[in-house]
Amino acid sequence: MNENLMMIWQKCLQFMRDNLNAAEDNSDLKKLEKSFDLLFDKIQPISLVDNNLTLMVPSDFYKEYIEDNYLSLLSAALKKNIGKGVKLWYSVMENKPSGLEKAVTMNMKGKSVPTPRVQETMPQGFSGNIVNPFVVPGIKKVNIDSNLKADFSFDNYVEGESNKFASTVARSIAKRPGATAFNPLFLYGGYGVGKTHLGQAVGLEVKSQFPDKVVLYLSSEKFIQQFISAAKAHKQTEFANFYQMVDVLIIDDIQFLSGKSATQDSFFHIFDYLHQNGKQIILTSDKAPVDIMDIQDRIVSRFKWGLSAEIKSPDLNTRKQIIQAKLSRDGIVLTDDMLDFLAAEAKTNVRELIGIINSVIAYSTIYKSDLSLELLKETISKIAANQKKVINIPYIQDVVCDYFGIKKEQLLSKTRKREIALPRQLAMYFSKEYTNATFSKIGEEMGGKDHSTVMYACDTIKDVSKIDKEIKKYVKDLTEKIKN
């Protein structure tokens, strides 16, 4: 390497290090310096020709991270030590020692303020070992698929008493993502009440109002899978760097991070980075933050930084509005008595309601019949007759909790109080009776209990129910509820 170029580069680094003044105290400054050194230690200047400086970086993520976090500072350093009008080139190294990829240009002009940046070309033949699942190699522009569904817009979202507060907050966030007090927005509620729709509606509105913002929606299961792949490839840093590029991050069913300690660690740092940099975070869950088990306390505390909003099952009037909105888009009009009947059939959640509506429409189309109250009743009856009940561990837990009037969180807890321990043993017993799950699997689903605990519970209920009238009645009642 040219000694003069190395000297210039060292001066640039020192200038940048000296101007890391964003920290408010020495401890923060030391953290910044350490982070700075870890980043730039892996970056080398390889040529300086006619004010064109080429930097060699280990991967495209390093290039993106520099541009997002250090571009202004680097611009000032280059101007001070080289002069105005420096053109910055990147040479991205593939995951093999055979050479470098073709460089991509990056113009930097003026006083420490770079010219507008353009998302740049991914290296041709990108190896794929760097975990960025939303980037396709060889394309002209790096685009991140937001994974948003056009149907999940605010226009298609029906407000009612059950969701009005959450909807109002979501619309406020969409106007000023990351700039309100509602960060993160934590939406929670039962299955199929519209949490995903509302979260995606924010993302769609942000993309409409702020096209340059990077919006990303994904499930927590997808996030976990990506982290595992990154960890296996020793690319956790690149994984984190990718998510730090996002302006609005929407993660569905965050409760599934429960028990995933390594993934939680990565999520914690990504969360902190996004929050500190004014990026919007939206999370959905079937439980309130305090009710999610096996989640680090520091993460739960961050869930509470913004706003937690519960979305409840829609009431009758809201369900009727949802039906009308859905059918009007398909050009179908129902009478009041037909609306009342359909709304009464789906009492638990919106997804069930939409499923019934779609079935009715399909039946009417196939058999070329006009919609009528009689046809609706006939169709619903056939749907019910053809639906085979799936008996699994979560279903058994719900039946037991409903029967004893306790919360599932209590059932899965470690308490040994009889009013909880007995329902837990019954749930274990029925899980073994009605599913093919092993003792270990049942124990895992019951809050992380040991397989021997499940075996003991099953034997206890089987033996005691023969001599104890109360337990015998519990077994009889629950058997009917689970099977019917």
Side-chain angles (χ1 to χ4, degrees):
M1 184 189 301
N2 185 295
E3 291 184 7
N4 186 46
L5 173 58
M6 191 59 189
M7 188 179 300
I8 293 174
W9 180 243
Q10 290 300 324
K11 288 181 179 179
C12 290
L13 291 179
Q14 189 58 51
F15 174 87
M16 295 171 69
R17 193 178 289 108
D18 291 342
N19 285 275
L20 288 174
N21 56 5
E24 295 181 358
D25 54 53
N26 291 334
S27 62
D28 286 341
L29 183 56
K30 288 178 180 178
K31 290 178 183 178
L32 280 174
E33 289 175 343
K34 184 177 181 181
S35 175
F36 177 88
D37 290 338
L38 286 173
L39 176 71
F40 282 95
D41 279 351
K42 297 181 180 180
I43 297 168
Q44 294 182 354
I46 56 178
S47 69
L48 178 59
V49 180
D50 297 329
N51 264 17
N52 289 274
L53 174 64
T54 301
L55 298 178
M56 183 172 67
V57 295
S59 73
D60 191 69
F61 290 100
Y62 281 81
K63 169 176 67 65
E64 296 287 350
Y65 196 79
I66 291 170
E67 292 171 6
D68 286 342
N69 298 278
Y70 292 100
L71 192 53
S72 295
L73 194 57
L74 179 56
S75 175
L78 295 178
K79 178 188 173 186
K80 176 178 175 62
N81 292 281
I82 299 176
K84 293 182 178 181
V86 176
K87 293 181 180 179
L88 181 61
W89 295 64
Y90 294 100
S91 195
V92 182
M93 182 183 294
E94 275 194 293
N95 291 332
K96 58 182 181 179
S98 59
L100 303 173
E101 283 296 332
K102 182 180 178 182
V104 289
T105 61
M106 180 64 189
N107 293 324
M108 300 176 65
K109 296 180 181 179
K111 303 177 179 179
S112 79
V113 179
T115 54
R117 292 183 285 117
V118 179
Q119 287 181 301
E120 302 187 0
T121 309
M122 285 291 288
Q124 190 70 32
F126 174 67
S127 69
N129 288 331
I130 296 174
V131 182
N132 185 338
F134 304 98
V135 172
V136 180
I139 60 177
K140 188 69 177 175
K141 203 175 182 181
V142 174
N143 291 314
I144 296 177
D145 184 355
S146 294
N147 298 325
L148 299 171
K149 295 182 180 180
D151 287 345
F152 285 168
S153 65
F154 280 125
D155 289 341
N156 293 337
Y157 192 79
V158 177
E159 283 190 10
E161 289 302 318
S162 61
N163 60 22
K164 187 173 183 179
F165 176 68
S167 177
T168 301
V169 171
R171 291 174 188 273
S172 174
I173 289 172
K175 296 176 182 177
R176 298 167 56 220
T180 71
F182 314 128
N183 195 19
L185 173 62
F186 192 101
L187 301 170
Y188 69 96
Y191 171 81
V193 295
K195 303 184 299 291
T196 299
H197 188 152
L198 193 55
Q200 287 212 18
V202 175
L204 287 167
E205 187 66 18
V206 170
K207 288 299 293 181
S208 174
Q209 299 298 321
F210 311 96
D212 292 335
K213 286 191 179 295
V214 177
V215 177
L216 177 62
Y217 162 86
L218 77 163
S219 66
S220 63
E221 294 99 322
K222 190 70 174 178
F223 183 87
I224 293 167
Q225 291 169 9
Q226 291 168 5
F227 174 77
I228 292 172
S229 298
K232 288 180 179 178
H234 304 291
K235 299 294 181 181
Q236 295 97 318
T237 301
E238 286 86 344
F239 173 83
N241 287 347
F242 167 73
Y243 277 95
Q244 289 173 358
M245 294 189 295
V246 177
D247 296 305
V248 179
L249 179 62
I250 308 163
I251 301 184
D252 228 346
D253 292 319
I254 199 68
Q255 74 273 6
F256 290 129
L257 286 188
S258 175
K260 308 290 192 303
S261 58
T263 310
Q264 288 180 33
D265 287 338
S266 180
F267 172 78
F268 171 80
H269 294 296
I270 290 170
F271 182 104
D272 265 13
Y273 178 89
L274 294 178
H275 195 276
Q276 290 169 11
N277 287 273
K279 311 299 184 181
Q280 181 67 47
I281 303 166
I282 299 174
L283 307 169
T284 77
S285 171
D286 63 357
K287 303 177 181 68
V290 295
D291 293 329
I292 303 177
M293 301 181 66
D294 295 324
I295 290 283
Q296 297 170 11
D297 290 340
R298 60 179 182 170
I299 293 180
V300 173
S301 70
R302 277 156 177 75
F303 287 164
K304 300 176 184 177
W305 277 359
L307 177 76
S308 296
E310 181 180 10
I311 302 179
K312 299 179 180 179
S313 297
D315 56 26
L316 179 64
N317 186 54
T318 304
R319 296 199 299 271
K320 289 174 66 174
Q321 291 181 55
I322 292 171
I323 295 172
Q324 286 180 310
K326 166 66 178 173
L327 296 185
S328 64
R329 291 195 293 272
D330 294 315
I332 298 173
V333 179
L334 299 184
T335 60
D336 289 340
D337 58 345
M338 294 160 68
L339 279 173
D340 290 338
F341 172 75
L342 273 181
E345 285 297 308
K347 298 179 180 178
T348 55
N349 63 66
V350 178
R351 289 184 192 173
E352 179 188 350
L353 184 60
I354 297 301
I356 291 174
I357 294 170
N358 289 336
S359 298
V360 170
I361 294 173
Y363 190 90
S364 174
T365 302
I366 292 171
Y367 292 99
K368 295 181 171 53
S369 302
D370 293 330
L371 285 176
S372 64
L373 182 58
E374 290 69 28
L375 176 59
L376 293 183
K377 291 180 177 179
E378 181 183 351
T379 305
I380 298 301
S381 177
K382 289 183 178 180
I383 293 172
N386 292 330
Q387 284 180 338
K388 184 178 179 180
K389 181 177 289 184
V390 177
I391 300 178
N392 52 27
I393 296 175
Y395 169 73
I396 291 170
Q397 291 172 345
D398 289 339
V399 172
V400 171
C401 288
D402 183 66
Y403 181 79
F404 286 99
I406 62 175
K407 295 181 179 179
K408 186 178 286 191
E409 289 75 17
Q410 294 175 298
L411 186 78
L412 304 182
S413 69
K414 296 180 180 180
T415 181
R416 295 184 180 181
K417 294 180 179 180
R418 187 179 187 278
E419 60 267 28
I420 303 298
L422 178 58
R424 184 188 300 130
Q425 288 183 325
L426 285 162
M428 291 178 179
Y429 168 78
F430 284 112
S431 294
K432 191 59 184 173
E433 287 289 307
Y434 289 107
T435 75
N436 295 320
T438 63
F439 288 119
S440 296
K441 177 61 176 176
I442 294 171
E444 180 183 333
E445 294 286 330
M446 291 290 173
K449 306 298 186 294
D450 187 79
H451 76 281
S452 60
T453 302
V454 181
M455 292 175 64
Y456 174 78
C458 293
D459 290 341
T460 299
I461 296 299
K462 187 180 297 184
D463 294 339
V464 175
S465 63
K466 296 176 182 178
I467 57 176
D468 189 305
K469 291 183 178 180
E470 183 182 39
I471 303 300
K472 186 177 182 179
K473 182 179 185 302
Y474 290 156
V475 171
K476 181 182 177 181
D477 290 349
L478 286 168
T479 299
E480 293 178 357
K481 287 181 176 294
I482 290 171
K483 294 175 66 175
N484 299 326

